[in-house]
Amino acid sequence: MIATSRRRFLAGAAAVTAAGFVPTRFAIGNQAPVKVGLMLPYTGVYAQLGENITSGLTMSLVGHGNRLGGRPIEYVKVDDESNPAKGVDNATKLVKGKEVDFVVGTVHSGVAMAMTKVMAKSPKAIMLCPNAGANALTREACLPNVFRTSFSNWQTGYSMGPVIAQRGHKRVVTLTWNYAAGQEMVSAFLDGFKAAGGGEPAEQLWVDFPDSEFQPVLTRIAALKPDAVFAFFSGSAAVKFLKDYDAAIDRTQIPLYGTGFLTEGVLAAVGKAAEGIVTTMHWAETLKSSENILFMGDFRKVAGRVADVFAVQGWDTGTLLYRAMDAVKGDTGATQAIIKAMEDAEVTGPRGVWRMSRNHNPIQDFYLRRVEKGQNLVEGVAVAQLEDPGTGCKM
Ligand code: BEZ
């Protein structure tokens, strides 16, 4: 039964203690809903990512009585269209217009950075970033009221560097969308690659976001004949990219590697064209922990589809929310105590054990994975408890 397994799961998770916390401005028994803004992509190339984050988050909160600190929850949804130009307006609508207590967003690095401009002027609202990896979010632009439950782009790229170097690949081509996420993942990959004895990239290839016309770059790769390719694409474009790569390139000669987003949520649609691809990621559907097995089963029952890393990030965002709100007994005005509870979080969940770094970004394992029979199989831990350096964060 879903309810039973979820109760077991929740009981197994460490609780935040509210020792010493005394609600002041908040009348005990207040039943006004806690307002949670969801600023996510519900259309476009990242639509499925936004949907799965939403399903993971709501499933987590339903499993916790669908209340935050004893109060009901009101969701306010905005489709951010993965459009950075609309980021400030959309976040303002939620934070100032709808006066949400929490804003959960978003997927696209550029949109997340726009959101932080609004959060800097709204210190009482708290932002939980359930995906976007923009390094600056938890480095130079870090804020006390902004937390990330996913990863930094640096973490995802860096973890693949030693893997490709240790496999003896020397001439490596990088290929990604030309915006912050792709740029930062490639730069971090090259840092990790060089640190592990690899050299300069044979060539760096770029595609404009959110385009999915890959023939010109694939023709270039075929001409360059590198030892390997490192790539980042995600969402519906990853499906097309993996099929196009398989059709255009002999993968036994030029193997494809990437950040795990390449093979997240797309394997059923891609089929054989994804077999054998090696990635690194902070989760895999095949992790054997009881937390992950329960999560996978519950998500399938509740959402009617196979979970992916985006669903996990939504779930863990829910975990952070209900723990912090339990700690303050539902007092959304107790901003400092909410922040403290989130900073102290150590979560045992589907991805394993992770905790918040000083700069509000998860410290977590990055797994080495290989696609086999339509699943990301775990081959080991590529980098254990990897922490983003947090350079420039002054909090
Ligand atoms: C980003 O823009 O940060 C991002 C988008 C999709 C997957 C991973 C990262």
Side-chain angles (χ1 to χ4, degrees):
M1 290 240 322
I2 300 172
T4 312
S5 59
R6 199 174 295 131
R7 263 200 305 275
R8 268 199 295 129
F9 180 89
L10 293 168
V16 167
T17 56
F21 174 75
V22 183
T24 48
R25 293 143 298 193
F26 175 73
I28 300 197
N30 185 343
Q31 285 304 297
V34 176
K35 283 193 177 183
V36 178
L38 301 178
M39 183 168 154
L40 290 163
Y42 294 110
T43 53
V45 69
Y46 287 156
Q48 189 59 41
L49 285 61
E51 292 295 351
N52 276 0
I53 289 168
T54 305
S55 297
L57 170 77
T58 51
M59 185 176 109
S60 168
L61 296 182
V62 166
H64 204 69
N66 212 17
R67 299 180 91 77
L68 285 171
R71 293 169 59 186
I73 305 165
E74 179 185 329
Y75 292 106
V76 189
K77 269 178 147 182
V78 167
D79 176 9
D80 71 28
E81 304 164 49
S82 295
N83 185 345
K86 295 185 182 171
V88 168
D89 277 358
N90 280 331
T92 305
K93 260 183 233 160
L94 285 174
V95 174
K96 302 261 190 240
K98 299 286 181 186
E99 296 186 326
V100 297
D101 302 297
F102 298 95
V103 54
V104 174
T106 186
V107 166
H108 183 289
S109 277
V111 181
M113 289 311 296
M115 292 174 77
T116 63
K117 294 188 183 143
V118 179
M119 300 316 293
K121 294 186 198 140
S122 317
K124 288 200 180 310
I126 292 179
M127 170 175 162
L128 290 163
C129 175
N131 186 75
N135 289 339
L137 190 89
T138 54
R139 292 189 185 177
E140 310 84 285
C142 73
L143 290 167
N145 59 333
V146 173
F147 289 83
R148 180 152 52 199
T149 55
S150 50
F151 55 86
S152 72
N153 291 327
W154 178 85
Q155 284 175 307
T156 62
Y158 187 84
S159 54
M160 187 41 107
V163 174
I164 298 187
Q166 281 154 20
R167 288 174 185 225
H169 300 309
K170 300 261 181 279
R171 294 182 62 250
V172 178
V173 165
T174 64
L175 167 59
T176 181
W177 274 314
N178 197 2
Y179 82 98
Q183 292 157 3
E184 291 175 353
M185 287 181 204
V186 160
S187 150
F189 159 69
L190 291 172
D191 284 353
F193 185 59
K194 285 179 206 159
E200 294 297 324
E203 192 152 312
Q204 294 187 257
L205 299 172
W206 308 95
V207 175
D208 287 340
F209 178 85
D211 292 357
S212 55
E213 177 46 62
F214 300 114
Q215 285 316 320
V217 285
L218 292 174
T219 303
R220 181 71 187 142
I221 288 169
L224 284 167
K225 296 189 178 55
D227 296 340
V229 170
F230 168 85
F232 159 70
F233 293 104
S234 190
S236 54
V239 175
K240 181 163 185 297
F241 173 68
L242 294 179
K243 288 183 173 171
D244 287 0
Y245 191 99
D246 190 59
I249 308 282
D250 178 351
R251 291 196 289 124
T252 63
Q253 296 304 308
I254 311 177
L256 177 61
Y257 296 86
T259 55
F261 307 108
L262 209 49
T263 59
E264 276 302 311
V266 301
L267 293 179
V270 176
K272 284 197 167 42
E275 288 291 297
I277 294 176
V278 172
T279 62
T280 49
M281 182 95 299
H282 48 289
W283 175 77
E285 65 272 41
T286 52
L287 282 172
K288 296 274 183 283
S289 65
S290 57
E291 290 85 359
N292 195 41
I293 291 166
L294 283 174
F295 170 77
M296 291 290 298
D298 282 0
F299 192 85
R300 186 186 271 281
K301 283 179 199 140
V302 171
R305 51 189 189 272
V306 178
D308 58 15
V309 76
F310 309 107
V312 171
Q313 292 166 177
W315 168 273
D316 279 346
T317 302
T319 304
L320 214 60
L321 261 176
Y322 71 68
R323 286 191 186 180
M325 286 299 285
D326 279 356
V328 297
K329 300 185 172 61
D331 183 358
T332 41
T335 312
Q336 289 315 314
I338 293 173
I339 288 174
K340 172 91 174 71
M342 290 187 176
E343 286 179 336
D344 290 349
E346 178 168 311
V347 177
T348 303
R351 70 179 93 169
V353 181
W354 65 271
R355 65 194 157 85
M356 268 302 165
S357 70
R358 200 192 46 79
N359 51 317
H360 296 183
N361 187 65
I363 302 173
Q364 56 196 336
D365 289 343
F366 278 79
Y367 303 97
L368 179 62
R369 321 172 324 161
R370 181 176 42 80
V371 178
E372 198 176 298
K373 297 195 183 116
Q375 288 194 306
N376 291 290
L377 284 192
V378 178
E379 296 205 317
V381 175
V383 190
Q385 294 297 294
L386 183 60
E387 178 172 2
D388 185 275
T391 320
C393 172
K394 296 190 181 69
M395 272 199 290

